[in-house]
Amino acid sequence: MKLELLPSELTAAKPILKQINRAGFQAYFVGGCVRDIILGKPIHDVDIASSAYPEEIKKIFKKTVDTGIQHGTVMVLDHGEGYEITTFRTESTYTDFRRPDQVAFVRSLSEDLKRRDFTINAFALDEDGQVIDYFDGLTDLANRQIRAVGLAKERFTEDALRMMRALRFAAQLDFQIEDQTLAALVELGPNLAKIAVERIRVEFEKMLQGLAAGSALKILVEAGLLPYLPGETGLMTEADVLRVANQLERKQPQSEQVVWALYLGQQGFDGPTLQSQLRQWKLSKEVMQTVLAVGPLLANVNQIDRWAIYEHNAYVRTLLETLTIMGVDQSVTERIQKTYDSLPIYSMKDLALSGGDLIAAGLAQPGPDLGVVLKKMEQAVVLGQVDNTKEALTTLVEEQTYGNS
Ligand SMILES: Nc1ccn([C@@H]2O[C@H](COP(=O)(O)OP(=O)(O)OP(=O)(O)O)[C@@H](O)[C@H]2O)c(=O)n1
Ligand SMILES: [Mg+2]
């Protein structure tokens, strides 16, 4: 297969391949970018593989940075762009089913490609746009399937994360997982327990944001992988996860917050349990905060009144998107949106009468009382009992202070 039209990212990087070729070495585009071009999808990163060793690459180019020299990767700087060039390699020593702790550089492209995870990720593309496909990846693309390069058991033993990657690509591309690859995944699933949480999380999030997330999540459950994911074993039942799977199919959550609100937030865990689950997945502070705020509302939609919407207004987008994916009645989300839009203030800072104003007017003393007065004003304004104007608020506080109602 020859690609006539390359996306601009690759056209811009072509001179790099040419320069390496002219110096007497081979160089190819490899990995996900070739797969995505063939599929006509936008590409994320341009990876280049070469027969040249890192020291040789550094002699060919003026500006380079050692970004991962021990793995054979050098970054070449060209017209303000950085291109990672990795020497062809095989991975020699594997301990603990994680990534290898040693790599061996080789001069042969096929040696490099055959240690890659899936046939659709094992293409190479030369400077003329010729696709090199040693493992029938083009057939797998046409048949829409994820198939390991060579023996799936070997690929998954080299790096157990690849099992999550299989599910992630199946979800993103809406592909099936080929039988032998799936069988190996079922057999070696327990090795996932040895993989760093952060690496699993990245693949899991991409999977749940994929088009066919629901099908992939079902396969994950059927393959018996659930106990080997981060989080406390047994807290999330298969039924809980399958419910999420049904909600998610073809929905593609737009943010990580929504992913986690759906996956963990809606399960009705109490606060400390939810927090502990979020921690075990090593989520960012931002995601944790959002899910902790939104979770209790998802578990009880009737509880989402005007005050709750005000208090959680920073999370309303996540709340609405999550509820929509959960399939709650449209009248509920419409009501929340309307209420949110109609809020007279979005925080205490928006009150027309500030703490400073209250003190200056002699209506409150600095200290805890001031907080109480501000809270009363906030509630009255949010619930529409008083206008958010200096005059109306002054009257409200005076009435309450002097008790003349
Ligand atoms: N555990 C892994 C990770 C990566 N790879 C190889 O390294 C390439 C680049 O890896 P990565 O960027 O993680 O994946 P992509 O396939 O490029 O997917 P994405 O588009 O999400 O970056 C993959 O295509 C694959 O050939 C692999 O064999 N095994
Ligand atoms: Mg990539």
Side-chain angles (χ1 to χ4, degrees), residues 242-291:
L242 289 176
R243 177 159 44 109
V244 178
N246 284 326
Q247 294 167 349
L248 261 175
E249 192 67 3
R250 319 251 144 202
K251 297 288 172 42
Q252 298 201 269
Q254 294 302 297
S255 70
E256 285 158 34
Q257 278 87 335
V258 174
V259 165
W260 293 103
L262 275 169
Y263 190 72
L264 293 176
Q266 70 165 308
Q267 306 297 351
F269 298 133
D270 59 46
T273 307
L274 181 55
Q275 182 153 19
S276 139
Q277 291 282 83
L278 292 162
R279 280 227 179 91
Q280 289 180 57
W281 275 97
K282 301 205 174 168
L283 290 161
S284 69
K285 238 183 169 169
E286 197 196 346
V287 172
M288 297 225 320
Q289 260 173 12
T290 309
V291 178

Side-chain angles (χ1 to χ4, degrees), residues 112-325:
D112 178 279
L113 295 179
K114 84 182 190 209
R115 58 115 196 144
R116 291 176 182 267
D117 52 6
F118 305 111
T119 60
I120 61 163
N121 290 345
F123 298 115
L125 181 66
D126 73 12
E127 63 162 292
D128 300 322
Q130 194 66 44
V131 175
I132 293 141
D133 175 23
Y134 292 137
F135 310 103
D136 249 350
L138 288 172
T139 309
D140 288 327
L141 275 187
N143 293 336
R144 306 176 68 84
Q145 68 176 359
I146 310 294
R147 182 165 60 90
V149 172
L151 290 174
K153 274 173 76 169
E154 284 179 5
R155 297 293 83 71
F156 291 164
T157 304
E158 286 161 4
D159 184 358
L161 184 74
R162 288 172 167 168
M163 295 185 272
M164 289 303 294
R165 287 171 58 87
L167 293 163
R168 182 261 275 204
F169 289 117
Q172 285 183 324
L173 303 172
D174 193 8
F175 278 23
Q176 302 294 316
I177 299 178
E178 173 273 333
D179 288 349
Q180 305 231 357
T181 305
L182 185 60
L185 186 149
V186 173
E187 185 180 336
L188 298 174
N191 291 344
L192 268 181
K194 304 185 172 95
I195 299 296
V197 171
E198 293 85 345
R199 295 182 72 210
I200 295 188
R201 195 191 63 223
V202 169
E203 299 298 333
F204 192 66
E205 285 172 349
K206 286 184 181 173
M207 172 182 126
L208 295 190
Q209 293 190 267
L211 185 65
S215 313
L217 197 51
K218 275 183 199 156
I219 296 171
L220 184 151
V221 171
E222 284 160 14
L225 298 193
L226 205 51
Y228 310 109
L229 294 187
E232 204 167 308
T233 312
L235 263 185
M236 288 280 283
T237 66
E238 289 192 358
D240 292 334
V241 178
L242 289 176
R243 177 159 44 109
V244 178
N246 284 326
Q247 294 167 349
L248 261 175
E249 192 67 3
R250 319 251 144 202
K251 297 288 172 42
Q252 298 201 269
Q254 294 302 297
S255 70
E256 285 158 34
Q257 278 87 335
V258 174
V259 165
W260 293 103
L262 275 169
Y263 190 72
L264 293 176
Q266 70 165 308
Q267 306 297 351
F269 298 133
D270 59 46
T273 307
L274 181 55
Q275 182 153 19
S276 139
Q277 291 282 83
L278 292 162
R279 280 227 179 91
Q280 289 180 57
W281 275 97
K282 301 205 174 168
L283 290 161
S284 69
K285 238 183 169 169
E286 197 196 346
V287 172
M288 297 225 320
Q289 260 173 12
T290 309
V291 178
L292 284 168
V294 165
L297 302 178
L298 299 173
N300 186 357
V301 179
N302 298 329
Q303 198 178 288
I304 312 178
D305 57 16
R306 190 173 174 82
W307 182 252
I309 293 166
Y310 168 74
E311 273 198 307
H312 298 92
N313 71 68
Y315 309 110
V316 80
R317 275 181 56 151
T318 300
L319 178 66
L320 285 171
E321 193 187 333
T322 309
L323 288 170
T324 304
I325 295 178

Side-chain angles (χ1 to χ4, degrees), residues 326-338:
M326 283 168 63
V328 306
D329 205 90
Q330 205 177 323
S331 63
V332 175
T333 48
E334 276 171 10
R335 176 179 62 77
I336 295 170
Q337 181 74 59
K338 258 196 187 151

